[in-house]
Amino acid sequence: MEEKGVTRRQFIKYAGATAALLGLSQALVPEIARALEEMAASGKPPVLWIQGQNCTGCSVSFLNTNYPDAAEVVLDKLSVRYQPTVMAAAGYQAFGVIEDTAKELAGKYVLVVEGPIPTAEGGEFCTFGLEEGTKDLLGNKVPKDKPIEVWMEQLVPGAAAVIALGNCASFGGIPAANAEVTGTTAVLDVVKKIDKDKPVINVSGCPSHPDWFIGTVLYYLLNGKVPELDRYNRPTMFFGKLIHENCERRASFDAGLFLEDWNDNNPDMKLCLFKMGCKGPVTYADCPTRRWNSAVNWCVGANAPCHGCAEPAFYKDLSPLYEPLPDINFMGINNAETLGWIAAGATAAGIVGHYLYKQLGKKAPEGGEE
């Protein structure tokens, strides 16, 4: 660390910030500092970051992180061998790095996949690099494109673990809305067909919060194992609580105070956005407490409803995004207007609202849909 110009005081500060990121007690700072030192001494853990059907939003979110110096230390200690958004190399030189890493560091590298995998039409909806052989294009023989599905078959067996970054990679996301055309498949399902025992961590979100990704990688490197995961393979330390539980407008929900017109600009009321399409009652993520852009704000804090982008049901089954939650049925009642009256009445009773909230936030049964 001293060779990098990092003092002991600064390093302990980094370790403290890391503990905060992972939601750990400050009492564990010495242990984290020791683990970081050992990690630094053992060399840079290699990372291959490939992209399927994606908009690069998760890459941009990751690059925009202002997580303090701890992130700089961590990133400096990773060896990101391939990341198409930021790397300078291109063409055969770049693809050669992937193939060399897979061959020379088998069993050691972490494979990060951003975006889902299209499997229809031979996987040609998403390709990068070239395969051996040629294909016919308008009567001409041209080099054959290499689908990401083929890259997955090549890279998954040698990966120590796979991280599906973003909702699209984790569950299909927006590309899955037309999966019948492209064959969009979540990363986990593709990996299962290649190696059913390979660890896969879903770091969902659209985009994924940079802390969620950095924290997951940190946890894996510090502990040598994947963090505790929920039924959807998401780290519970980031996706363990309902947004509704910690929403700053929860009191308005309980009081039956709902925004019903976007032109109703009353900053003092902080009306609940449930009727305007908020999916907070069915979404598990720590957005209300972690916030975005260096903890400045989050969707509801910026007067926008939660879109449920961390959930498997996003996007197709939670759209239209600005309409109340679909398919809600509470004691035979399934429209937001009536639910609003129930919530208002529940405030007076002090009971029904709690029950209503529990029903809205109830997790799906094992293997079922949200």
Side-chain angles (χ1 to χ4, degrees), residues 95-225:
F95 304 136
V97 171
I98 302 179
E99 294 168 346
D100 290 345
T101 301
K103 184 184 302 181
E104 298 168 4
L105 298 172
K108 297 180 180 178
Y109 61 86
V110 175
L111 179 63
V112 178
V113 185
E114 182 182 357
I117 313 301
T119 57
E121 303 291 342
E124 294 201 2
F125 286 103
C126 180
T127 68
F128 61 95
L130 299 173
E131 284 190 282
E132 292 184 359
T134 60
K135 67 176 183 179
D136 183 77
L137 180 65
L138 300 176
N140 300 306
K141 293 295 182 182
V142 298
K144 189 177 180 182
D145 299 315
K146 189 171 184 176
I148 188 172
E149 187 178 12
V150 176
W151 282 109
M152 291 290 286
E153 292 170 354
Q154 179 179 338
L155 299 177
V156 167
V162 178
I163 295 178
L165 182 61
N167 188 286
C168 297
S170 298
F171 309 119
I174 293 175
N178 67 344
E180 64 276 10
V181 176
T182 61
T184 294
T185 306
V187 168
L188 176 62
D189 294 331
V190 172
V191 172
K192 278 183 177 178
K193 292 181 179 178
I194 300 172
D195 183 350
K196 62 182 178 60
D197 297 323
K198 186 69 62 179
V200 178
I201 307 170
N202 287 330
V203 183
S204 60
C206 185
S208 176
H209 195 297
D211 285 4
W212 298 342
F213 173 68
I214 294 174
T216 300
V217 173
L218 257 179
Y219 185 96
Y220 181 79
L221 295 176
L222 290 173
N223 297 283
K225 63 180 182 180

Side-chain angles (χ1 to χ4, degrees), residues 20-74:
L21 171 66
L22 298 176
L24 302 175
S25 168
Q26 292 295 306
L28 296 176
V29 168
E31 185 175 342
I32 292 174
R34 178 189 54 76
L36 286 173
E37 286 181 316
E38 291 178 356
M39 194 170 71
S42 61
K44 297 180 178 181
V47 174
L48 291 176
W49 183 320
I50 61 175
Q51 296 176 332
Q53 288 178 287
N54 80 111
C55 66
T56 319
C58 290
S59 285
V60 174
S61 176
F62 167 69
L63 296 171
N64 281 340
T65 180
N66 286 321
Y67 181 63
D69 298 338
E72 296 174 13
V73 171
V74 171

Side-chain angles (χ1 to χ4, degrees), residues 253 258 272-278 281 323-325 328 336 339-340 360:
F253 177 89
F258 297 96
C272 176
L273 299 172
F274 177 73
K275 288 188 177 181
M276 307 306 284
C278 185
E323 297 291 333
L325 281 163
I328 284 183
L339 287 171
L360 293 175

